[in-house]
Amino acid sequence: MENLRIPGPTPLPDEILKTLGQQMINHRGAKFGQILNEITAELKQLFQTKNDVFLLTSSGTGGLEATIVNTLSPGDKVLSVSIGFFGERFASIAQTFGAEVIPLCFEWGKATDADAVRQALHAEPEIKAVLVTHNETSTGVTNDLAAISAIVKEFDKLLLVDAISSLGSIDLPVDDWHCDVTVTSSQKGWMAPPGLAMVSVSQQAWQAHSKAKMPRYYWDFSQAKSYLEKGQTPWTPALSTIFALEVSLGMMLQEGLSNIIARHVRVGKATREGIKSLGLSLFADESHASNTVTAVAASNGLDVKKMLKILREEHGIVLAGGLQRLADKIFRIGHLGWVSEEDIAPVISALKVVLPQAGFRSAS
Ligand SMILES: Cc1ncc(COP(=O)(O)O)c(C=O)c1O
């Protein structure tokens, strides 16, 4: 079996793998209603929210599209705070549906400067919503969402958050940080297969929704809400992923959110220390380093493609390369969901052997 260490999909524990062989059930029946209600209540605990939470059958990107089309109208001004590839994706979805996107971009590898958000909101009073990525998976940076949120709410704007690779792994108290829509997806920190986006929707987001005119059908939050009241989803749900999530949420609640967060802090630190011990440099600003994904700079002659190939073929370890403009410039180690320090130690040991084979010359 491969040691899959990409930032999602993640490996699944045996208890969850077993659920995937389960027979289908009637998604309009009572048993499904019970499961959906139970999952929704448990997700609210892990999102730390009293807001509505919906399961959408899609990958994370579908959740981002749902966020945009449910809260905005064509021509609305939105501030897109971007620190990487996924920040740009969120902006481009908004643009596709006719929002007027005002970009606020930071160098890839750096975190958002909250003061710049204040200046941007001050400069353009008509901005309606702020798009922000909590954890930028392409660069391994976690934004200071509490600080950003405080400013966004000082200006009373909608806060729309891509928390796809942070929620359930990195602390994100949705209500305390006033997130209006928060999106995550099942294949990230949730120890479940791909197939579900999970979104929370605040009262302020519902008010925006009542006026939002972007076209939507599949993603309509009003439909999701009225069906959830009957213990259903509007459209046929990804039942197997829901069965998996039912078990994984049970495991997560048993471990406890604060223990899960602390485990990710430990594993993130162990990964960064391991990388530095090999003479490699972290790509991201370490003060904002992510505890779910570590990005490593390809320095000192390192051929990333060659390294990834040898790791995969000779050591059974699968890491991720860089995305878009970071292709061949970095590689990434995912450490979210079902992960402990013991899963990272073999990655560091294998890297020690493979790095010189892939051209890396240690400076020391
Ligand atoms: C921060 C972030 N946003 C968006 C996405 C896109 O999610 P998906 O591939 O599930 O559509 C990802 C996936 O890696 C992500 O990490």
Side-chain angles (χ1 to χ4, degrees), residues 7-8 58-62 64 86-87 89 133 135-138 162-165 185 187-188 323 332:
S58 78
S59 77
T61 304
L64 298 180
F86 290 109
R89 179 178 298 181
T133 316
N135 185 72
E136 181 48 78
T137 321
S138 68
D162 173 345
I164 288 174
S165 61
S185 62
Q187 81 279 17
K188 300 291 187 184
L323 293 169
R332 294 171 301 145

Side-chain angles (χ1 to χ4, degrees), residues 275-347:
I275 286 299
K276 288 190 286 184
S277 76
L278 297 169
L280 286 163
S281 313
L282 300 169
F283 175 70
D285 199 342
E286 211 176 337
S287 56
H288 297 283
S290 164
N291 286 322
T292 57
V293 54
T294 295
V296 184
S299 57
N300 300 39
L302 179 64
D303 178 339
V304 170
K305 270 203 192 77
K306 189 168 176 188
M307 183 202 79
L308 293 175
K309 185 169 188 290
I310 304 175
L311 274 174
R312 192 175 63 245
E313 290 178 355
E314 296 179 18
H315 299 265
I317 292 174
V318 182
L319 305 184
L323 293 169
Q324 206 199 50
R325 71 179 86 147
L326 292 178
D328 302 326
K329 297 208 168 67
I330 64 165
F331 68 91
R332 294 171 301 145
I333 305 173
H335 36 84
L336 71 170
W338 187 46
V339 66
S340 70
E341 288 98 320
E342 288 81 64
D343 299 306
I344 299 301
V347 175

Side-chain angles (χ1 to χ4, degrees), residues 3-313:
N3 187 359
L4 182 65
R5 294 295 149 204
I6 61 172
T10 68
L12 306 180
D14 282 345
E15 296 90 314
I16 290 162
L17 283 178
K18 277 188 215 134
T19 68
L20 301 179
Q22 218 168 296
Q23 190 52 271
M24 293 299 102
I25 59 171
N26 176 10
H27 66 297
R28 304 285 176 216
K31 184 170 176 202
F32 179 76
Q34 263 168 20
I35 296 173
L36 184 62
N37 289 336
E38 181 196 321
I39 286 180
T40 306
E42 291 177 343
L43 281 172
K44 286 186 187 188
Q45 286 186 53
L46 294 164
F47 275 54
Q48 304 177 66
T49 189
K50 295 197 165 57
N51 289 337
D52 289 308
V53 170
F54 303 120
L55 292 182
L56 310 174
T57 287
S58 78
S59 77
T61 304
L64 298 180
E65 183 169 317
T67 303
I68 297 292
V69 299
N70 275 286
T71 55
L72 298 168
S73 299
D76 278 349
K77 289 189 178 164
V78 297
L79 181 68
S80 151
V81 179
S82 172
I83 60 168
F85 177 80
F86 290 109
E88 289 185 2
R89 179 178 298 181
F90 207 1
S92 109
I93 296 169
Q95 200 155 26
T96 301
F97 285 91
E100 191 181 318
V101 174
I102 300 169
L104 178 63
C105 301
F106 296 88
E107 191 187 329
W108 289 21
K110 302 265 190 274
T112 298
D113 170 5
D115 279 341
V117 176
R118 176 180 279 111
Q119 281 163 29
L121 290 174
H122 194 71
E124 184 44 87
E126 282 182 13
I127 287 170
K128 189 164 173 207
V130 178
L131 315 183
V132 62
T133 316
H134 183 208
N135 185 72
E136 181 48 78
T137 321
S138 68
T139 60
V141 173
T142 305
N143 269 320
D144 184 348
L145 187 57
I148 297 168
S149 161
I151 291 165
V152 172
K153 290 303 162 186
E154 194 182 304
F155 287 82
D156 198 25
K157 308 296 179 188
L158 273 184
L159 179 60
L160 308 179
V161 183
D162 173 345
I164 288 174
S165 61
S166 58
L167 245 180
S169 311
I170 296 173
D171 195 26
L172 200 187
V174 164
D175 287 357
D176 287 354
W177 292 357
H178 309 288
C179 302
D180 292 304
V181 183
T182 325
V183 184
T184 183
S185 62
S186 52
Q187 81 279 17
K188 300 291 187 184
W190 304 92
M191 301 190 293
L196 292 170
M198 292 92 91
V199 298
S200 69
V201 182
S202 75
Q203 274 314 311
Q204 203 176 337
W206 280 117
Q207 280 159 20
H209 173 80
S210 67
K211 297 184 202 108
K213 299 221 159 37
M214 280 187 183
R216 54 183 177 269
Y217 187 90
Y218 185 82
W219 301 123
D220 195 335
F221 286 165
S222 295
Q223 293 271 22
K225 190 173 171 67
S226 68
Y227 273 83
L228 183 59
E229 281 159 11
K230 300 187 280 187
Q232 294 181 23
T233 55
W235 333 115
T236 310
L239 281 174
S240 300
T241 305
I242 289 178
F243 295 153
L245 193 63
E246 186 189 9
V247 175
S248 72
L249 292 176
M251 289 171 70
M252 289 175 78
L253 288 171
Q254 195 164 19
E255 183 177 357
L257 183 57
S258 57
N259 292 329
I260 296 173
I261 292 165
R263 174 166 54 82
H264 283 83
V265 170
R266 282 197 314 275
V267 176
K269 190 160 184 287
T271 308
R272 294 190 292 277
E273 294 308 319
I275 286 299
K276 288 190 286 184
S277 76
L278 297 169
L280 286 163
S281 313
L282 300 169
F283 175 70
D285 199 342
E286 211 176 337
S287 56
H288 297 283
S290 164
N291 286 322
T292 57
V293 54
T294 295
V296 184
S299 57
N300 300 39
L302 179 64
D303 178 339
V304 170
K305 270 203 192 77
K306 189 168 176 188
M307 183 202 79
L308 293 175
K309 185 169 188 290
I310 304 175
L311 274 174
R312 192 175 63 245
E313 290 178 355

